[in-house]
Amino acid sequence: MGEESVDRSEGFGERLLGLLLDRARLLPPQLIAPLIAEGVAGIGGREVSILLQDYAQELLVPLPGRKLHVGQPEPVADSPAGRAFLRADVVEVAQAGGGVRVYLPLLDGSDQVGVMALTLETVDDDDRRLLRRLAGLVADMLVTKNAYTDQFFLARRREPMSVSAEIQWGLLPPLTMTVPQVQVAGILEPAYRVAGDSFDYALNDNILHMAVIDAMGHDLDAAAMATIAIGAYRHARRVFVSLSEKYAFMDHAISRQFGADHFVTAQLMHLNIATGEMELVNAGHPAPLLIRDGQVVRQLESATTLPVGFGGEVPRIREHTLRQGDRVLCYTDGIIEERVDGGETFGEERLIRCVNRLGQEPSDGMRADLRRLSHTLKKERGGRTSDDATLFMIEWHGGAADHLAVLD
């Protein structure tokens, strides 16, 4: 490494990252790409690409920009970029003409932003350490600038999007979150026409708060109702503690705004990430599936609670205790009520068979497994998604250690 013409020393790497951070603070979004390319060139890299996940979670699409290498979209399912993205790990591919193509996951916290690809003549451990830090900084810059530009949204969009879908995507939290004790991931279909389905979550101390909703109807009416429901849920989550109070607050908001003939089905959950104890309110949804060692062991049944908006009922809370490694799969009725060949509904039994079949295959991690399940289910339904269809999965890793233990 000392004989190379390009300085990639630890001190140089720190100076490079500091320079990028200082300059990025005031740069407009369209100049972020040239800044990244210049930084990579400073360590001898070339052909820099920023690849962002499209809304259907099928492709990694190149971000256009001056000094960036803009090639063809790369499939998430079967490409070096896709492997880096799904596994959240660095992938290196030797190039026929010389050099190494390096694919680095862009992670903002645990949210998967996309992939950065670049080519170096050689790669050693010091390079990998510097590139990981650079990728983390790039992810932070993209997330920060995304708050006030449409540039990244337009790159990710592969087909026209309905107004209701625009509203729903703007409402969502990050599609994935990972901390040592727990991981969550969600998928919405149809990506460009979704209207009434949504999900939300927040980790406050040791309690993971989660909600999956399905607002009745279609198009803007459903999107408006979902917006009120999620807004009320977030407000209650930030003021109250219990699931009962969250349910009551959402119920009051929907009934007051839309009247007695409108409703939202919902699942509300609390998971203690230190102990695995989970509270569940199921207000009109199909029961979640408990998955253990890749196989569905049972449905997490709970006493029937009226959908949100019917007014006045005290919700019935069911308690469950997860084991280390357990997954909980929540889904909306668009998954199981889709008509398949012969006119019958897809049904819960077919869903369980799909989960069990995929559970027998090698796992690339929960996020990759959920994406694979979503695409498998869509194929099994003949490629049709006539109603909103949402999947939301939780994986409890166990362990009562304090969050700060990971920093020791």
Side-chain angles (χ1 to χ4, degrees):
M1 180 171 168
E3 300 177 357
E4 294 180 26
S5 59
V6 177
D7 184 357
R8 300 185 206 153
S9 66
E10 185 75 16
F12 174 80
E14 291 179 358
R15 291 195 301 273
L16 171 63
L17 297 176
L19 178 63
L20 289 175
L21 186 58
D22 290 342
R23 293 179 62 189
R25 185 172 59 88
L26 295 177
L27 279 184
Q30 70 271 18
L31 295 184
I32 289 296
L35 177 64
I36 294 168
E38 289 175 9
V40 170
I43 59 173
R46 63 182 188 273
E47 298 177 334
V48 182
S49 295
I50 304 296
L51 304 168
L52 304 177
Q53 179 182 219
D54 79 319
Y55 282 94
Q57 301 194 38
E58 296 175 347
L59 297 171
L60 291 164
V61 296
L63 178 68
R66 185 164 56 88
K67 297 187 179 183
L68 286 181
H69 173 70
V70 181
Q72 295 298 313
E74 300 198 30
V76 173
D78 187 21
S79 70
R83 290 196 296 276
F85 180 77
L86 292 174
R87 298 173 185 175
D89 201 3
V90 179
V91 172
E92 300 173 9
V93 180
Q95 302 296 283
V100 180
R101 189 71 171 163
V102 185
Y103 298 88
L104 299 126
L106 297 175
L107 301 173
D108 178 55
S110 58
D111 183 24
Q112 294 170 302
V113 178
V115 171
M116 181 172 69
L118 56 97
T119 300
L120 291 171
E121 288 303 316
T122 60
V123 183
D124 63 19
D125 287 343
D126 290 336
D127 299 329
R128 295 182 184 99
R129 186 179 304 110
L130 174 58
L131 290 174
R132 285 192 181 96
R133 293 173 178 173
L134 177 60
L137 177 57
V138 170
D140 287 344
M141 288 192 292
L142 292 174
V143 169
T144 300
K145 302 299 180 181
N146 184 61
Y148 52 85
T149 183
D150 293 327
Q151 179 182 358
F152 309 138
F153 171 88
L154 294 172
R156 296 176 61 197
R157 189 173 67 182
R158 304 293 295 168
E159 61 183 79
M161 184 175 282
S162 69
V163 175
S164 59
E166 296 261 15
I167 293 171
Q168 289 297 64
W169 282 105
L171 192 65
L172 286 174
L175 297 180
T176 60
M177 182 205 72
T178 303
V179 296
Q181 295 92 340
V182 73
Q183 187 173 15
V184 301
I187 292 181
L188 295 184
E189 295 181 3
Y192 296 94
R193 299 185 307 279
V194 65
D197 278 15
S198 192
F199 61 83
D200 196 40
Y201 62 85
L203 180 59
N204 297 329
D205 294 324
N206 275 345
I207 303 300
L208 178 64
H209 305 251
M210 299 159 286
V212 180
I213 70 163
D214 180 3
M216 66 168 285
H218 301 281
D219 302 324
L220 281 176
D221 286 344
M225 207 178 330
T227 301
I228 296 294
I230 291 295
Y233 170 75
R234 288 174 177 168
H235 179 76
R237 187 181 70 212
R238 294 161 184 167
V239 176
F240 304 124
V241 175
S242 72
L243 285 181
S244 295
E245 290 171 305
K246 290 185 177 71
Y247 173 90
F249 201 92
M250 294 170 67
D251 182 73
H252 178 67
I254 294 298
S255 61
R256 182 178 59 184
Q257 186 68 30
F258 297 98
D261 57 343
H262 289 68
F263 63 88
V264 175
T265 61
Q267 281 171 349
L268 308 178
M269 290 162 281
H270 284 174
L271 173 64
N272 187 317
I273 65 171
T275 66
E277 296 172 337
M278 186 175 74
E279 294 180 325
L280 168 66
V281 168
N282 193 352
H285 264 281
L289 302 179
L290 177 63
I291 303 169
R292 185 169 292 159
D293 298 324
Q295 303 296 295
V296 176
V297 293
R298 68 176 184 273
Q299 295 177 308
L300 295 181
E301 299 289 353
S302 59
T304 301
T305 295
L306 289 176
V308 170
F310 282 150
E313 183 180 65
V314 176
R316 302 174 184 178
I317 299 173
R318 181 70 180 270
E319 296 182 354
H320 301 277
T321 300
L322 303 184
R323 297 183 188 175
Q324 186 173 357
D326 279 355
R327 293 175 174 180
V328 176
L329 177 65
C330 304
Y331 58 95
T332 58
D333 59 12
I335 296 286
I336 58 175
E337 292 182 359
E338 186 68 60
R339 298 287 175 177
V340 294
D341 294 338
E344 62 182 9
T345 57
F346 185 76
E348 292 177 344
E349 291 185 4
R350 282 191 179 93
L351 169 60
I352 292 172
R353 285 200 298 269
C354 284
V355 172
N356 289 342
R357 186 172 69 247
L358 292 176
Q360 296 173 350
E361 300 176 4
S363 172
D364 288 323
M366 190 201 76
R367 291 177 286 197
D369 292 350
L370 183 66
R371 180 196 163 277
R372 190 158 47 110
L373 174 62
S374 174
H375 289 276
T376 297
L377 290 173
K378 188 172 181 180
K379 183 178 179 181
E380 292 281 331
R381 301 195 309 269
R384 293 184 296 272
T385 307
S386 58
D387 190 11
D388 294 347
T390 294
L391 296 172
F392 184 79
M393 185 176 282
I394 308 127
E395 180 175 286
W396 185 58
H397 300 155
D402 188 90
H403 298 317
L404 295 179
V406 72
L407 302 178
D408 292 342

